[in-house]
Amino acid sequence: RMSRHAQQLRDHDRNPCVAETDASRKCMDDNNYNKDMCTAYFLKYKSCRKFWHDIMMQRRRSGVKPEMPSAEERKKILESMG
């Protein structure tokens, strides 16, 4: 059974970067934990976190709740950006 924190990390409505997390972890598993082989995955994860963190901060400043858009809402935001 997963801890509450682990469940939150797997929750697509709370964590916008589940796919990037999984891809990084898989790369590490596939490459015997050689970080140099997974740099591209780490960068994708890092930019995902930064992008959604910036949106969350904008929403917080504007008083928008919830601060993190739902998975469905995030999909629309990304589609609107092309």
Side-chain angles (χ1 to χ4, degrees), residues 25-38:
R25 191 167 290 138
K26 183 181 183 322
C27 179
M28 289 291 282
D29 288 344
D30 292 350
N31 290 287
N32 203 23
Y33 292 84
N34 177 350
K35 289 182 180 169
D36 296 336
M37 302 293 288
C38 302

Side-chain angles (χ1 to χ4, degrees), residues 19-29 38 41-43 45:
E20 290 78 2
T21 303
D22 291 347
S24 295
R25 191 167 290 138
K26 183 181 183 322
C27 179
M28 289 291 282
D29 288 344
C38 302
Y41 292 97
F42 298 152
L43 289 173
Y45 171 80

